[in-house]
Each structure stands twice: as C-alpha cells, then as structure tokens.
Amino acid sequence: MIANQGNPVSTLTKRQVEQIFAGDITDWSQVGGTAGPISVYTRNTASGTYSDFKELAMKKRDYGTSSQKMAGNEQIAAEVAKNANGIGYVGLAYLTDPGIKTVSIEGALPTEDSVISKKYPYARPTFYYTNGEPTGEAAKFMDFTLSDEGQKIVRKVGFVPVRPLN
C-alpha cells in the first residue's frame, strides 16, 4: 500500500483499506489525514492483481466508481507520487520509487519477513503451472529459478524467495 510521500497517514486498518478502495471512505480526514478527496489508483481489470486485491483486501467487493485503473505498478507509483491525495498498491520492487511512501497495514509493513510470516495481509504467492511433471527446457527453467542463483534474481527484482538463501 502506497500513498504520496507528503501524506501524513502512515498506517491504515484492513477495514479502512477495504472502505477506501470500495468507495465508502472518500476523504483523508475520515482516516486521520488532512482533509481532501482520496484518489484511488488500481490495476486495470485485465490484471490478475486487480482481482487478487479485491479478494485479499476488499472481501470481493467492487472497486469504487472513482477508482482510476492503471496499466501497471510503474504507472500507479507515478500517479500517486504526483497526487498529494493518491493511494494505490504496488509490488515490493516499487516501494522505493520517488514521491511515494509505504503505508503500514495494522502496523505491518511489506517486507520479505512480513510476507513470509504472513503478517502483511496483502501478499500473494506466484505459481508455476505445467501440464504434468515438467520436462526439457521447462524443467531446466524451473530448476534454475529455484536454485540459489535463481532465487537471488527473484529477490533482486522485488519478489520474495521461496526459501531462505545460503
């Protein structure tokens, strides 16, 4: 969860996040911030993140009608950085983009440890799907990504490794 770096709100409850993204809470003063309309940025409807966030954070409710749908993490971070009233969600790799800050959820910040321990509520796993047991190049690819070298790349690009690294 990110907000504009100038926003005084530093933590939200899960219920507040649900209400903000569903359009029930529309002003920052309703969550302890400076009065001003909340600008909600989400992924577009073709994104798996769009539907996953509805399930993880919104109890499958629809997004508010004023939410603005973006093509990707980069666009959400850029829009939130430009808009003092902006809020959105992005992957771990985008939390250090300029002009934004991370908002904790009930005191939990998104980190590798909080994701692994499931203390951060809005994390989701990434899966590989194969048609049966992987063979050939698919097996080589999976073996590499699960190796220490592959898992270091996973971490470098902002994902959480599937196991502790040596």
Side-chain angles (χ1 to χ4, degrees), residues 20-24 26 40 62-69:
I20 288 169
F21 281 83
D24 302 332
T26 58
V40 174
D62 287 331
Y63 288 88
T65 56
S66 66
S67 67
Q68 300 172 62
K69 290 153 186 68

Side-chain angles (χ1 to χ4, degrees), residues 21-130:
F21 281 83
D24 302 332
I25 292 177
T26 58
D27 195 282
W28 282 107
S29 63
Q30 294 173 270
V31 292
T34 306
I38 298 174
S39 298
V40 174
Y41 297 97
T42 73
R43 294 292 301 273
N44 64 38
T45 57
S47 166
T49 306
Y50 178 89
S51 57
D52 284 350
F53 190 79
K54 279 177 70 170
E55 189 167 322
L56 285 169
M58 300 171 59
K59 298 179 182 168
K60 300 183 183 181
R61 296 178 63 195
D62 287 331
Y63 288 88
T65 56
S66 66
S67 67
Q68 300 172 62
K69 290 153 186 68
M70 305 283 122
N73 289 294
E74 301 91 349
Q75 192 177 12
I76 291 173
E79 292 301 317
V80 170
K82 290 190 293 189
N83 184 339
N85 292 322
I87 189 169
Y89 52 83
V90 295
L92 288 173
Y94 302 89
L95 295 179
T96 58
D97 283 12
I100 63 170
K101 70 176 189 176
T102 306
V103 176
S104 72
I105 307 304
E106 299 182 357
L109 288 168
T111 65
E112 191 172 305
D113 288 340
S114 69
V115 167
I116 290 169
S117 67
K118 300 185 189 240
K119 289 181 182 169
Y120 189 76
Y122 303 140
R124 64 183 176 142
T126 301
F127 297 99
Y128 290 144
Y129 292 95
T130 62

